[in-house]
Amino acid sequence: MAYQLPQIPKPPKAKKKQVMLVASGDLRLSANQNCWPAQQAMETALAEVVGELGYELVRAHPYKEDEKHGFIGSQKEGMCVFAGIDPQARLIVAEAVWQYSHHVLAGLLSHQGPILTVANWSGQWPGLVGMLNLNGCLTKAGVKYSTLWSEDFKTDEAFRKNLARWLEKGSVKHDLKHVTPLRDVKIPGAERKLGEALAAQLRRNKAIMGIFDEGCMGMYNAIIQDEILNPMGVYKERLSQSALYYETTQVRDDEARAVMQWMLDRGMKFVTGPNPETDLTEEQILTQCKMYIAAVRIADDFGCHTIGIQYQQGLKDLLPASDLVEGTLNNTDRPPVFSRDGSRELYAGRALPHFNEVDECAGLDGLMTHRLHTAMGQPPETTLHDVRWGDWDRSGTLSDYVWVFLISGSAPPAHFVGGWSGASSERQPAMYFRLGGGTLKGISKPGEIVWSRVYVEDGEAKMDLGRAGVVELPPAETDRRWQATTPQWPIMHAVLYGVSRDQFMAKHKANHIQVAYAHSAKEADAALYAKAAMAEAMGMTVHLCGTRKNGKPW
């Protein structure tokens, strides 16, 4: 019997010296329109350099006149674009903006030619965060790729040399001498014993990770498969943001006002205004306070040890942003929340670790940190930051390269200079949040931190850890950095020990980084050792990055 076979058109074959370019964008039209000029400028500069190296950069999808931008704006659109790309062609994914990786992941999974991810070195929208997320997604998916970044494509000789190599050879390698496998490190006995005991306790007693809708903003890298997570003793409770919305509507006005007043009594500052479309209003704040109470109650209902709210999608058309909620949850000293009948305080005297954007890798890390630091008598608060940008200190205060770790609001006040009295709340940018909502903003206090990242590679969970110091910069330099990024968000000035800018970028497999303070450099080293031992005992492959504060290797 004869069947009608489908017609599968073949895409045009790329010429020998042609390089195809795609640009993944946001799902929100307003963000794509606002960010397009920066992307266009980046592509123009990149095309010029590619041309000077003897190749032609060809956009694989057009500028959309009706939408006023040239980004791939959905997974469906991405699939259509890749259907028209020669699967053997050299392909550059160029990013000057935050982007949704799932828009292009399907096409990149089936692409057979060399893949290069490229970002401009700018904190503006930012491409660095978007590229690092895509890199983490490709790493988890097992897709081979190379990656490059530059502040100025035209004058950066190292970038041009690496780009030329990729154009000719199809791959680029970076310096990873700062990375030490844990198997080559001798962990002190006390820290190893503690880490292994905490891992055994977790496997025996088990923990629940509450997830308010999985898979935020296309972050495939932020999902840990159950078959990887469960043997560690951690199980997902898949919750719905619709339930969070409903529970928020059930919280009484007087309960919300009590939360807001608790913050005000501790010196929290709310930057409010009369226009809800552009200003933070009291109504928005009180709704966020209701969401905070609702989140704690739902977590208690299901026995959750950590929770994650999806943040930018789902709830954004129903409620103000969840940032104020997230940072408050992450703080040990926080407004009390009682059961619906008022008979008991929920999670009394402790933080309820929250992982922003439902990043389960950060959720697992935060759960580990909370338990480990509590056992060690160290501050248990943890922050998931974006690896937003970095620059040399231009104030002359320091000779170090200082990273800008910045997040939309999940930083706990315990991490700020002045605590709650050093915290403020400003309206989230309208292009992201039509209904507003305040952030939890502050400047991270000077001190010693452990940084870490859980990620999935080769079908297993892995963890990278390192040490850093949070430094104090003059107000003018801090403001310069805020204005180059998002001034409504909390900021951390971090100096990584023994890790250069490019080494960090070459190894890091996510847009996010986890940070936690210790009381001293010596205690931070001990916390790192214990966390590494705990991760290894949980079945992760562990790498230590960089050095101790004194420059000595691990």
Side-chain angles (χ1 to χ4, degrees):
M1 184 174 180
Y3 295 98
Q4 184 176 352
L5 300 179
Q7 298 297 311
I8 305 176
K10 291 185 177 181
K13 188 171 179 61
K15 297 177 182 179
K16 186 177 180 180
K17 291 286 187 176
Q18 281 185 334
V19 182
M20 308 307 292
L21 179 144
V22 296
S24 179
D26 209 291
L27 193 66
R28 295 156 293 196
L29 179 61
S30 58
N32 284 334
Q33 290 174 336
N34 276 284
C35 300
W36 174 246
Q39 177 72 23
Q40 190 174 36
M42 174 203 179
E43 290 185 20
T44 299
L46 183 59
E48 185 176 328
V49 176
V50 170
E52 291 171 359
L53 294 173
Y55 289 78
E56 178 190 10
L57 193 62
V58 179
R59 252 189 152 259
H61 51 102
Y63 176 83
K64 293 175 282 192
E65 289 287 350
D66 57 334
E67 296 186 10
K68 305 302 180 186
H69 70 84
F71 292 111
I72 294 173
S74 69
Q75 181 173 235
K76 176 183 178 181
E77 183 182 351
M79 290 176 176
C80 292
V81 168
F82 272 89
I85 296 176
D86 177 0
Q88 302 294 334
R90 296 176 185 85
L91 179 67
I92 292 178
V93 186
E95 296 299 337
V97 303
W98 166 253
Q99 56 83 43
Y100 283 44
S101 291
H102 81 299
H103 291 176
V104 293
L105 188 59
L108 294 172
L109 277 167
S110 59
H111 192 76
Q112 300 165 30
I115 297 170
L116 178 69
T117 64
V118 178
N120 61 336
W121 196 264
S122 169
Q124 184 184 18
W125 291 125
L128 291 172
V129 183
M131 185 189 75
L132 283 171
N133 177 256
L134 181 58
N135 289 353
C137 292
L138 295 174
T139 296
K140 179 186 174 185
V143 176
K144 292 183 178 179
Y145 68 96
S146 297
T147 185
L148 291 174
W149 49 88
S150 180
E151 189 169 351
D152 188 338
F153 299 134
K154 297 180 182 180
T155 62
D156 187 338
E157 288 303 319
F159 171 81
R160 294 172 71 97
K161 181 179 179 180
N162 281 322
L163 179 60
R165 177 179 173 81
W166 180 81
L167 290 168
E168 293 296 324
K169 304 294 184 181
S171 65
V172 177
K173 293 183 178 180
H174 296 285
D175 173 20
L176 296 178
K177 293 177 183 177
H178 68 293
V179 180
T180 304
L182 189 61
R183 63 175 179 268
D184 296 337
V185 176
K186 182 176 177 55
I187 298 178
E191 283 72 35
R192 178 172 288 282
K193 186 176 181 180
L194 175 61
E196 291 176 349
L198 288 169
Q201 180 193 46
L202 185 58
R203 285 194 302 271
R204 179 68 181 86
N205 295 338
K206 300 182 176 50
I208 296 174
M209 178 183 289
I211 298 167
F212 286 99
D213 291 339
E214 199 165 50
C216 180
M217 298 191 293
M219 293 192 293
Y220 173 70
N221 69 315
I223 302 172
I224 304 177
Q225 301 95 305
D226 290 51
E227 55 269 26
I228 295 176
L229 193 63
N230 295 164
M232 300 178 187
V234 182
Y235 290 77
K236 300 178 187 179
E237 189 72 56
R238 289 177 168 88
L239 306 168
S240 172
Q241 291 198 118
S242 62
L244 181 58
Y245 170 68
Y246 172 76
E247 188 67 33
T248 299
T249 67
Q250 301 306 297
V251 177
R252 300 194 313 271
D253 292 346
D254 64 298
E255 293 178 303
R257 191 163 292 281
V259 168
M260 181 178 176
Q261 189 60 51
W262 187 98
M263 296 176 178
L264 290 169
D265 289 345
R266 279 155 180 76
M268 174 84 171
K269 303 169 188 66
F270 292 96
V271 183
T272 59
N275 184 356
E277 294 185 2
T278 56
D279 300 323
L280 179 64
T281 64
E282 184 177 270
E283 182 181 1
Q284 292 170 19
I285 299 166
L286 291 173
T287 303
Q288 288 180 295
C289 292
K290 290 184 177 182
M291 192 196 303
Y292 164 68
I293 295 170
V296 176
R297 284 175 176 167
I298 291 175
D300 176 69
D301 288 342
F302 291 91
C304 296
H305 300 86
T306 179
I307 61 172
I309 301 170
Q310 200 183 104
Y311 170 68
Q312 295 204 21
Q313 295 300 331
L315 287 181
K316 69 177 177 59
D317 297 316
L318 295 171
L319 293 169
S322 57
D323 303 275
L324 180 62
V325 178
E326 297 165 6
T328 303
L329 288 169
N330 275 331
N331 212 57
T332 301
D333 181 29
R334 57 179 180 80
V337 176
F338 294 89
S339 56
R340 295 174 186 83
D341 63 3
S343 64
R344 59 192 175 91
E345 185 178 349
L346 309 180
Y347 300 90
R350 57 193 173 102
L352 173 56
H354 177 276
F355 45 105
N356 193 26
E357 298 167 354
V358 202
D359 184 342
E360 296 164 14
C361 296
L364 178 61
D365 197 328
L367 176 67
M368 293 169 63
T369 301
H370 187 266
R371 294 189 174 195
L372 179 71
H373 279 232
T374 298
M376 298 183 77
Q378 298 299 319
E381 288 88 1
T382 179
T383 297
L384 172 167
H385 272 295
D386 276 340
V387 181
R388 183 63 183 258
W389 176 56
D391 197 6
W392 297 100
D393 170 29
R394 297 190 187 178
S395 70
T397 306
L398 301 168
S399 60
D400 302 287
Y401 190 85
V402 183
W403 284 90
V404 174
F405 294 159
L406 195 84
I407 195 61
S408 54
S410 65
H415 283 190
F416 298 160
V417 175
W420 280 105
S421 65
S424 63
S425 184
E426 300 179 18
R427 191 197 194 280
Q428 274 278 24
M431 79 169 179
Y432 295 126
F433 291 100
R434 178 177 60 86
L435 299 180
T439 57
L440 188 43
K441 175 181 175 178
I443 301 171
S444 293
K445 61 187 180 183
E448 298 295 324
I449 61 171
V450 176
W451 65 263
S452 53
R453 175 63 190 179
V454 173
Y455 58 99
V456 177
E457 184 178 29
D458 300 326
E460 64 172 307
K462 298 184 177 182
M463 177 182 276
D464 292 346
L465 297 111
R467 285 272 288 106
V470 182
V471 298
E472 183 179 2
L473 295 176
E477 175 67 2
T478 296
D479 189 62
R480 178 182 78 87
R481 290 164 177 261
W482 252 331
Q483 297 306 320
T485 52
T486 307
Q488 297 89 349
W489 293 2
I491 192 170
M492 173 176 279
H493 306 310
V495 175
L496 304 185
Y497 300 149
V499 184
S500 71
R501 183 197 82 169
D502 291 344
Q503 285 176 328
F504 181 84
M505 288 293 295
K507 181 66 173 71
H508 206 64
K509 302 299 183 185
N511 47 314
H512 293 149
I513 188 169
Q514 203 86 3
V515 297
Y517 281 86
H519 294 308
S520 68
K522 182 178 180 180
E523 291 167 294
D525 290 348
L528 181 145
Y529 278 129
K531 191 170 188 179
M534 183 179 181
E536 184 180 56
M538 290 169 64
M540 300 186 212
T541 298
V542 181
H543 294 92
L544 304 188
C545 300
T547 66
R548 288 177 276 181
K549 183 177 183 178
N550 58 14
K552 292 183 178 180
W554 296 105

